[in-house]
Amino acid sequence: VLASCSSDWTATDEKFAQMYARILITRERYPDTAKGNKEVMRIIKQRGMKEPEFRQMFASYTQNPEKLRAIMDTVHARIRLKRIHIQ
């Protein structure tokens, strides 16, 4: 499983990366906004969070562009790998 090359990759970063990857895949899978929103909320809840907590976590990452970039690179790489395995 890919992770940031940075030695400061935390369990919280991993949790967020996994959750965000699932959210992006869900958004692609369910173009209907109502259905997609419901599935996204389910993903967030499964991870033991509520939507405001997720939004706050995302906002905190925007304050650290390097960390956010590392997370997004990891998320996109994982999604590409999943697509390769699915095809």
Side-chain angles (χ1 to χ4, degrees), residues 1-59:
V1 177
L2 297 175
S4 168
C5 295
S6 173
S7 61
D8 66 344
W9 188 264
T10 68
T12 300
D13 298 337
E14 182 61 31
K15 178 180 178 179
F16 182 81
Q18 288 179 12
M19 186 172 13
Y20 199 67
R22 289 188 64 205
I23 287 170
L24 291 180
I25 291 167
T26 297
R27 287 288 182 204
E28 189 175 273
R29 190 174 290 154
Y30 299 104
D32 175 358
T33 305
K35 175 77 172 162
N37 287 346
K38 183 178 176 183
E39 290 300 312
V40 167
M41 291 302 113
R42 187 180 62 76
I43 290 166
I44 292 170
K45 187 176 179 181
Q46 278 181 338
R47 297 290 183 182
M49 297 180 81
K50 295 183 182 195
E51 183 184 10
E53 291 173 278
F54 174 78
R55 288 184 183 276
Q56 182 179 11
M57 183 182 271
F58 188 87

Side-chain angles (χ1 to χ4, degrees), residues 59-75:
S60 72
Y61 282 118
T62 65
Q63 301 302 309
N64 185 344
E66 261 186 51
K67 174 72 80 161
L68 182 60
R69 188 175 308 110
I71 289 171
M72 291 303 152
D73 288 349
T74 298
V75 166

